[in-house]
Amino acid sequence: MPERDPYTWSVMVGGFAKIGDYMNCFGTFREYVRTGECPDNYTLPNVIRACRDTMDVQMGRLVHNFVCKLGLDLDQFVVAALVDMYAKCRVLDDARRLFDGMVKKDLISWTVMIGACVELGDASEALVLFDRMREEGVMPDKVTMVTVVNACAKLGVMYKAQLVHDYISMKKFSLDVILGTAMIDMHAKCGNVDSARVIFDSMREKNVISWSAMIGAYGYHGEGRKALDLLPMMLSSGIIPNRVTFVSLLYACSHAGLIEDGLKLFSLMKEEYCFRPDVKHYTCMVDLLGRAGKLDQAMKLIEEMAIEKDEGLWSSLLGACRIHGQTELAEKAAQSLLELQPQSPGSYVLLSNIYAKAGRWKDVAKIRELMTHRRLKKVPGWTWIEVENETYRFSIGDRTHPKSREIYEKLMNLIKELELKGYVPNTDFVLHDVDEELKLDSLYTHSEKLAIAFGLLSTAEGSPIRITKNLRVCGDCHTFSKFVSAVTQRVIIVRDANRFHHFKDGACSCGDYW
């Protein structure tokens, strides 16, 4: 072309970006800049999106500086693209700074910022932004609502989930495959699998992801049979399971102790559907066999794998070793795990706990010394509880709550009552080499127990108590919760790092198999 105008340059830059030829996209943009022409708010977003898609934050910053030199740092379209780029490159602070400085925020900018908070682990802030967005008069669309629903799922707070559900119903958003599936996930992860099933049944159209989500929901709520019952229904509706479906099915078998069913599904996946198992399928099988105490079978399966082993696989085996006290095999699993993740404190802690359970305190000391040397810290245990649309957080031995005196008084009286009913504190779960009295003091003030005592003080008789733990619930707190549910006639719903536990009338939905 003898002459090129900004439009033709933009077409070439954008065209290369759309087909994924980022080298020519950036190269053409450089050529354009060298002509002395000033790229406009049509061309620049194309280049910024290319930086986003390649997660090239260094190039993104160069373009951002260029934007500032051109005086386009207040342009709505350019800044929205920069916010999106920084968010996808996981630089949340820069994304938020630009977003907060925008004079006018459109729907896309709000959605991008809310989505970034969800993706990068700040689901609570995502919901704050959603409230601000509506106060400022910007009406969310279905894409925004999917993002907000995902935030509720990550946060796991029922009252927030119900508010969002009510808003979606009020605005008459149709539950298509994307929004409906997100709603299934939200209700399930907020502890209400029955509501998830109502959403699932009300969806006019379901795809393989919707079915897999519902199967997965039953799985991590410990309702393995209900998860498996969905497979024939799925097949009769004409939907063929995919790899994710089989992960959900095998996970459900693992958490319900359905060993024979899990083995049949693993064979079915390979023989009838011709899926070559990937590491996630093998991890579910190792978990299934390991939890059932079939550690030799689990190890044999690992040795026969023709694919690369990852951290999740070895973590499952290590977890099974902890359950069944297999110290020797645990050391082997831990060694493999630490080779893959030398900076992950969880692996060291798990091995240390196995040594502590076996009374090998010198080995515990060595692990802790190694963690100190490598500047690794154990992730602290926290428990959150919902009370009257507010969320409160407790740590072990926590006395920061204004009602701490009443909470501890309630807890101590409750423990005395439970002991009369047969509850015996299990000090094996205090993994320190201290005397029995100190072990009891530590055990009595676990964050789960404090949260439950606060819940009993602060909620209406007969209402359920919902708590969330960032780590796996300890065995003694699990037993404690069963006794509390029987003595107080309360349902206690616990979401821990692995699954949900529903305690009712002295029993848990996991069947003590977790």
Side-chain angles (χ1 to χ4, degrees):
M1 295 176 71
E3 290 185 23
R4 299 165 181 167
D5 60 17
Y7 176 76
T8 53
W9 280 106
S10 293
V11 168
M12 289 309 299
V13 171
F16 281 126
K18 282 178 183 174
I19 64 167
D21 188 348
Y22 299 112
M23 187 177 290
N24 274 320
C25 169
F26 293 137
T28 306
F29 179 67
R30 285 192 188 96
E31 273 187 72
Y32 182 18
V33 171
R34 285 169 187 152
T35 64
E37 294 271 358
C38 291
D40 58 16
N41 64 357
Y42 183 83
T43 314
L44 285 162
N46 283 325
V47 181
I48 294 165
R49 280 192 287 271
C51 298
R52 173 200 68 188
D53 293 343
T54 56
M55 293 192 72
D56 189 344
V57 72
Q58 189 174 357
M59 183 67 171
R61 291 193 192 283
L62 290 173
V63 177
H64 186 179
N65 290 337
F66 187 60
V67 164
C68 294
K69 286 178 184 176
L70 294 175
L72 290 171
D73 50 322
L74 295 178
D75 182 274
Q76 179 181 338
F77 299 105
V78 175
V79 176
L82 284 168
V83 169
D84 189 28
M85 182 272 294
Y86 281 122
K88 293 298 190 299
C89 291
R90 308 183 73 81
V91 188
L92 191 58
D93 289 345
D94 286 4
R96 186 60 187 268
R97 189 160 45 249
L98 280 170
F99 176 80
D100 288 341
M102 291 177 74
V103 177
K104 185 180 179 184
K105 303 175 181 73
D106 62 6
L107 175 60
I108 294 172
S109 303
W110 281 104
T111 304
V112 163
M113 198 63 239
I114 291 169
C117 289
V118 176
E119 184 69 25
L120 300 179
D122 198 350
S124 183
E125 184 60 21
L127 296 178
V128 170
L129 286 172
F130 175 61
D131 290 337
R132 265 184 57 196
M133 171 188 175
R134 290 185 296 153
E135 285 161 14
E136 295 185 21
V138 179
M139 285 294 102
D141 64 4
K142 195 174 284 189
V143 176
T144 314
M145 292 316 303
V146 168
T147 306
V148 171
V149 166
N150 289 337
C152 289
K154 284 203 170 185
L155 205 58
V157 179
M158 179 54 74
Y159 78 88
K160 286 283 189 184
Q162 195 56 55
L163 288 173
V164 170
H165 182 128
D166 293 344
Y167 184 82
I168 288 169
S169 300
M170 182 183 70
K171 293 295 181 180
K172 294 183 167 57
F173 284 107
S174 60
L175 294 184
D176 61 10
V177 165
I178 297 172
L179 182 56
T181 302
M183 292 272 284
I184 291 168
D185 191 51
M186 175 185 76
H187 279 290
K189 286 182 177 170
C190 289
N192 196 334
V193 73
D194 293 334
S195 292
R197 183 59 187 263
V198 170
I199 296 290
F200 177 79
D201 289 340
S202 70
M203 290 169 64
R204 291 182 180 178
E205 183 188 352
K206 305 178 186 78
N207 65 6
V208 66
I209 301 170
S210 314
W211 284 94
S212 299
M214 194 64 237
I215 290 168
Y218 277 134
Y220 53 75
H221 277 273
E223 301 193 28
R225 279 286 157 218
K226 288 184 179 179
L228 298 188
D229 288 344
L230 285 175
L231 181 59
M233 292 171 60
M234 176 183 177
L235 294 170
S236 65
S237 71
I239 303 293
I240 304 299
N242 64 9
R243 290 178 172 278
V244 175
T245 314
F246 278 104
V247 169
S248 298
L249 288 165
L250 293 172
Y251 181 94
C253 291
S254 169
H255 282 267
L258 304 175
I259 301 166
E260 292 304 316
D261 294 278
L263 291 169
K264 284 177 187 175
L265 283 166
F266 193 62
S267 296
L268 182 75
M269 178 182 73
K270 294 185 290 182
E271 293 164 12
E272 190 165 329
Y273 293 95
C274 301
F275 288 139
R276 185 186 174 201
D278 62 28
V279 72
K280 289 184 179 178
H281 300 111
Y282 277 110
T283 299
C284 288
M285 291 306 295
V286 167
D287 199 51
L288 172 67
L289 295 167
R291 285 173 188 275
K294 299 179 181 294
L295 288 161
D296 290 341
Q297 270 183 264
M299 196 63 211
K300 186 181 177 186
L301 192 67
I302 291 172
E303 288 167 350
E304 290 173 354
M305 283 173 60
I307 57 174
E308 192 173 344
K309 304 163 183 64
D310 69 358
E311 306 86 57
L313 183 86
W314 290 115
S315 292
S316 289
L317 183 63
L318 188 57
C321 291
R322 181 195 53 76
I323 293 168
H324 298 287
Q326 291 280 353
T327 311
E328 190 176 326
L329 187 55
E331 288 173 327
K332 185 175 181 179
Q335 185 59 43
S336 299
L337 192 53
L338 293 175
E339 285 173 9
L340 291 168
Q341 284 188 322
Q343 294 305 117
S344 171
S347 309
Y348 297 86
V349 170
L350 196 48
L351 183 59
S352 171
N353 291 351
I354 291 168
Y355 284 143
K357 193 174 179 182
R360 291 171 55 174
W361 298 109
K362 287 183 180 178
D363 290 317
V364 171
K366 284 179 185 176
I367 293 288
R368 289 179 181 168
E369 188 179 323
L370 187 59
M371 287 181 71
T372 303
H373 178 70
R374 293 183 177 176
R375 297 182 180 178
L376 301 174
K377 290 186 177 179
K378 178 184 175 182
V379 176
W382 296 99
T383 300
W384 292 263
I385 180 169
E386 294 178 52
V387 172
E388 294 181 357
N389 297 349
E390 290 289 334
T391 304
Y392 300 86
R393 187 175 78 166
F394 291 90
S395 61
I396 186 169
D398 202 325
R399 292 187 180 272
T400 59
H401 195 282
K403 291 186 176 179
S404 277
R405 188 179 61 79
E406 296 98 312
I407 292 168
Y408 275 87
E409 188 176 326
K410 175 70 176 177
L411 180 57
M412 292 306 121
N413 289 336
L414 181 61
I415 287 170
K416 287 175 185 175
E417 188 178 356
L418 299 187
E419 287 175 343
L420 291 173
K421 299 291 183 180
Y423 165 62
V424 178
N426 188 345
T427 54
D428 286 348
F429 293 98
V430 180
L431 303 172
H432 302 286
D433 190 14
V434 294
D435 65 39
E436 206 66 16
E437 190 175 339
L438 287 173
K439 283 187 176 184
L440 282 172
D441 287 345
S442 172
L443 201 63
Y444 285 158
T445 61
H446 276 194
S447 60
E448 299 98 306
K449 294 183 177 76
L450 292 172
I452 289 171
F454 175 61
L456 290 170
L457 279 173
S458 311
T459 58
E461 284 288 333
S463 63
I465 294 172
R466 300 176 185 276
I467 68 173
T468 301
K469 179 78 186 284
N470 66 328
L471 305 174
R472 181 184 182 275
V473 65
C474 97
D476 182 70
C477 287
H478 191 270
T479 303
F480 173 85
S481 300
K482 288 196 296 183
F483 274 94
V484 173
S485 71
V487 168
T488 65
Q489 288 299 293
R490 295 281 202 108
V491 173
I492 301 171
I493 301 164
V494 180
R495 175 185 178 179
D496 75 3
N498 295 333
R499 60 173 298 156
F500 277 88
H501 300 265
H502 296 254
F503 298 95
K504 184 179 180 182
D505 297 330
C508 180
S509 59
C510 75
D512 297 338
Y513 190 89
W514 89 106

